[in-house]
Each structure stands twice: as C-alpha cells, then as structure tokens.
Amino acid sequence: MTEQDRKQAIEAEGGKAAPADRSAAVTRKTNETDIELALGVDGTGISEIATQVPFLDHMLDLFTKHGQFNLRVKASGDIHIDDHHTVEDIGICLGQCLREALGDKRGIKRYASVFIPMDEALAQVVIDISNRPHFEYRAQYPSQLVGSFSTELVHEFLWKLALEARITLHVIVHYGQNTHHMIEAVFKALGRALDEATSIDPRVQGVPSTKGVL
C-alpha cells in the first residue's frame, strides 16, 4: 500500500491520516554524555550507529533492521568509567524521539506481542503505546558480561526507553543458554513489536482508546 493509498483508506473510514513524516530528533549534552539521535518510524531499516559501545551498536542495528525504522545515533560519553551513562542516555533519547514522532497516536494499532527465537533462546516483547510508562522485565542471563558489556545495562536501556516514550513494555526471556543470543532476541523482538504497535490501521478512527486520548 502506497502512502497515498493509506491516507485515502483512513479518510474513507472517517479517520484522519497520521502525518506522512513520523520522525523526530533530539540532542542531549551533559557532563557525562553527548548524544545526537534521530528516528524515523516509517523507515526502511537504515541505521547509522556510533555509540562507542560496540555491543549496543550491534543491538541498535538489529532493532532498526527488524523494526524497519531509520535510526541515526552519534554518542560519546565517559566510557573510561563504564558504559552505564551512555547506554542509559541513549535509551532516554530514543524514548523521547519515539514519543515525539508518534504525536497524538491517531490511527495506530497501539498493541503488539512478538516472540523471537535466536537459536536456543526465546524472547517475548509485549507493548502498549498507552501514554502510561510501565516496565516489566523477566530475564536471567548465564553471564554478567557479553564481551565488556554488562548485561544489567539491558534493563537500564529498556526501562529508560519505556519511561521516556511513555509506553507499557513487558520483556520476557523465556529461556536460553547463550547470553548474546538471549539479548539479541530481545532487541529483535523489540523492533518488530514497536513496528507493529506503531503501524497505521486504516480501520482505526482517531485515537485507539475509549477515552478518546492517549
């Protein structure tokens, strides 16, 4: 379906088409990090990622490709201490961009639940773009590190993303043996779940809530 077809389908149902350009950009500069991030929700999986945290680069690239977003991240931070501030602040910036890009959320599907296998690992991400930030996380990793990346930072990133995007986010890693595979499944599932939840449904008139607002 082309963009014009999508608009016409929504308007035919009495709804209002979402903005053609659902994108946003943010700059965050503190004494700990300097971040420029731009997100296009209706993209083609193009990523330009440079965070100085190699494992996070890899995960954000997967997230972008499987979510069919366009994502550009340029970040520098006090990684001589550890990766915590950089990972946390990128989560904050991504959440802020997602919230801004979606606007009033008119016409979106809102909900999504996605299972992703990665070899022996299985992860599930469930999302409600609700304007009510909440985060539930169920994951036990065999290792505390993937390379030099601390696995506890996955929680930090996801929690800040959910908080700033004002979404309800449930992440469950059902099982796995390889920590890299388990986290990779999470980020792939996150991308695909957000892609589904943010997609426009031409049957939805206005905002998908009986309240009339999200």
Side-chain angles (χ1 to χ4, degrees):
M1 178 182 288
T2 67
E3 179 66 21
Q4 184 62 31
D5 290 339
R6 182 184 67 79
K7 288 181 178 180
Q8 290 175 350
I10 294 172
E11 290 166 357
E13 294 293 331
K16 180 180 177 182
D21 181 23
R22 295 193 296 172
S23 62
V26 66
T27 298
R28 177 183 173 89
K29 186 176 179 63
T30 72
N31 292 333
E32 299 166 341
T33 62
D34 188 351
I35 298 168
E36 297 176 6
L37 190 148
L39 173 69
V41 173
D42 304 307
T44 57
I46 298 172
S47 62
E48 299 177 31
I49 314 294
T51 70
Q52 298 186 326
V53 182
F55 186 74
L56 183 61
D57 287 359
H58 180 38
M59 293 302 106
L60 290 176
D61 187 49
L62 295 167
F63 163 80
T64 305
K65 176 62 69 175
H66 285 270
Q68 289 295 297
F69 308 122
N70 289 344
L71 179 64
R72 178 174 53 83
V73 185
K74 182 180 180 182
S76 59
D78 53 1
I79 58 172
H80 59 284
I81 298 174
D82 66 13
D83 297 336
H84 183 103
H85 295 141
T86 299
V87 174
E88 177 183 31
D89 286 6
I90 290 171
I92 290 171
C93 290
L94 182 57
Q96 289 174 345
C97 277
L98 179 61
R99 184 182 180 193
E100 181 180 343
L102 293 179
D104 66 2
K105 306 171 185 65
R106 186 178 298 271
I108 66 169
K109 289 185 175 180
R110 177 176 168 179
Y111 294 99
S113 178
V114 172
F115 287 86
I116 290 292
M118 177 62 192
D119 295 349
E120 85 298 338
L122 181 67
Q124 179 185 12
V125 172
V126 184
I127 289 175
D128 176 11
I129 302 178
S130 59
N131 203 35
R132 296 190 305 275
H134 187 83
F135 181 50
E136 294 290 340
Y137 188 60
R138 305 287 185 268
Q140 294 184 338
Y141 300 114
S143 172
Q144 294 181 347
L145 294 173
V146 179
S148 62
F149 183 85
S150 172
T151 58
E152 70 178 10
L153 295 181
V154 178
H155 177 283
E156 197 66 30
F157 174 87
L158 294 171
W159 164 227
K160 293 310 188 310
L161 168 63
L163 181 65
E164 295 295 333
R166 297 191 62 83
I167 63 176
T168 294
L169 175 63
H170 292 245
V171 175
I172 306 165
V173 180
H174 290 281
Y175 46 77
Q177 298 176 351
N178 182 286
T179 301
H180 186 133
H181 290 170
M182 296 163 76
I183 298 173
E184 182 167 329
V186 167
F187 275 83
K188 287 178 177 178
L190 177 66
R192 288 181 177 266
L194 273 175
D195 179 43
E196 181 177 341
T198 61
S199 64
I200 300 297
D201 185 341
R203 299 170 300 174
V204 175
Q205 298 186 30
V207 174
S209 171
T210 54
K211 297 182 179 70
V213 65
L214 286 171

